Amino acid sequence: MPISFLLMVNKQGQTRLSSYYEWIAVAERAALESEIVRKCLSRSELQCSFLEYRGYKVVYRRYASLFFIVGTKPSPDEEENPENELGLLEFIHTLVETMDKWAGSICELDIMYQLEQVHFLLDEMVMNGNIVETNKHNILRPLDLMERESKKADSMYR
């Protein structure tokens, strides 16, 4: 089964980015987010980065002050979730490396002030819950083109 959701959360538990790839009611999203974030933040660095909660397989990783949390759920016809936890950890690492290449050293403020670009970057990597691209150059090329065109448009009006 593909990715169900991806969250970027700071150490205080405030969600900075959330992306859902399956329909979940807004009230349930808020409850699920707060419970999963609370569970991930309360775990020590010595514990593994995988946990199961409410049928979701949750994989998380902390980079500086941000937690990157990915959740998957098995298909209705499957009993167990076949998703590879190490593969999801590698996906999180690739996402962070790509964001670092795009914004220098990625931090919480980059995500907050450039949320649209971060969503665009994430959409280049994940489509309908499936990881479709992991090549950093291919992911960043459309962002670079958009940035270049916006600079042209800005200079045209001055």
Side-chain angles (χ1 to χ4, degrees), residues 2-69:
I3 295 172
S4 299
F5 61 85
L6 184 135
L7 306 171
M8 293 182 199
V9 181
N10 67 10
K11 287 193 287 188
Q12 288 76 35
Q14 299 166 320
T15 303
R16 295 304 180 196
L17 177 133
S18 64
S19 190
Y20 287 86
Y21 301 102
E22 69 175 28
W23 189 86
I24 302 173
V26 176
E28 190 178 335
R29 277 185 188 188
L32 182 70
E33 260 182 54
S34 66
E35 292 166 8
I36 287 178
V37 166
R38 198 172 322 113
K39 285 217 178 268
C40 291
L41 292 177
S42 67
R43 293 169 67 92
S44 77
E45 290 183 21
L46 300 175
Q47 291 178 297
C48 77
S49 298
F50 319 134
L51 61 106
E52 297 220 4
Y53 184 73
R54 272 209 211 162
Y56 288 95
K57 185 181 285 187
V58 179
V59 178
Y60 70 94
R61 180 112 187 237
R62 180 178 167 203
Y63 286 93
S65 65
L66 285 172
F67 282 84
F68 292 79
I69 304 169

Side-chain angles (χ1 to χ4, degrees), residues 111-130:
I111 293 169
M112 288 172 53
Y113 292 124
Q114 299 178 29
L115 190 62
E116 185 176 327
Q117 287 94 338
V118 175
H119 271 289
F120 190 84
L121 188 146
L122 189 58
D123 290 343
E124 287 292 315
M125 292 182 78
V126 180
M127 188 174 295
N128 199 25
N130 295 304

Side-chain angles (χ1 to χ4, degrees), residues 77-92:
D77 55 324
E78 296 174 326
E79 279 186 32
E80 275 192 45
N81 192 338
E83 199 66 46
N84 184 343
E85 295 94 347
L86 295 176
L88 290 174
L89 266 180
E90 186 61 33
F91 164 70
I92 292 171

